[in-house]
């Protein structure tokens, strides 16, 4: 967490940069907005692929409990991914 003074200094630097070179400020703003979403998408996709492969491997080896556990993790990952990509949809019951 930044202190109030540090936050003010950071805001001044951002304003100075945007005044001097607006295109540079747009590039930084675009990167800041896209980076977390892309990182999460890759993480969820990697987790889905890994759990699917582990489920198939566990079934091939005859370990049904491990396959069920991996399938549950894959389902949970899919659900979280869907909730994050469709934020307007509320799946909670009231």
């Amino acid at each position: 967490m930044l202190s109030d003074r540090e936050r003010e200094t950071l805001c001044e630097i951002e304003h100075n940069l945007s005044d001097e070179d607006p295109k540079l400020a747009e590039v930084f703003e675009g990167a800041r907005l896209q980076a977390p979403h892309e990182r999460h998408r890759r993480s969820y996709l990697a987790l889905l692929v890994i759990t699917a492969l582990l489920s198939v491997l566990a079934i091939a080896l005859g370990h049904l409990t491990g396959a069920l556990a991996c399938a549950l993790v894959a389902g949970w990952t899919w659900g979280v991914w869907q909730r994050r990509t469709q934020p307007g949809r509320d799946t909670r019951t009231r």
Side-chain angles (χ1 to χ4, degrees):
M1 296 292 291
L2 296 174
S3 68
D4 291 337
R5 195 178 102 198
E6 291 170 335
R7 189 170 290 133
E8 289 174 8
T9 305
L10 181 61
C11 286
E12 288 176 20
I13 293 171
E14 288 176 350
H15 289 296
N16 288 340
L17 282 175
S18 64
D19 290 343
E20 291 175 10
D21 191 1
K23 289 183 181 181
L24 180 66
E26 290 175 10
V27 168
F28 283 131
E29 184 66 27
R32 182 171 43 168
L33 294 175
Q34 286 181 340
H37 176 68
E38 185 67 25
R39 193 175 337 130
H40 287 298
R41 187 178 76 78
R42 287 182 183 166
S43 298
Y44 290 132
L45 184 60
L47 188 57
L48 281 172
V49 169
I50 290 169
T51 54
L53 291 173
L54 286 175
S55 293
V56 170
L57 180 64
I59 288 174
L61 295 175
H63 196 278
L64 297 179
T65 307
L68 179 62
C70 289
L72 288 173
V73 170
W76 171 79
T77 304
W78 179 261
V80 170
W81 190 8
Q82 291 301 310
R83 279 195 302 271
R84 286 185 181 254
T85 58
Q86 299 172 0
R89 192 173 123 208
D90 190 8
T91 58
R92 295 177 287 177
T93 57
R94 293 176 192 226

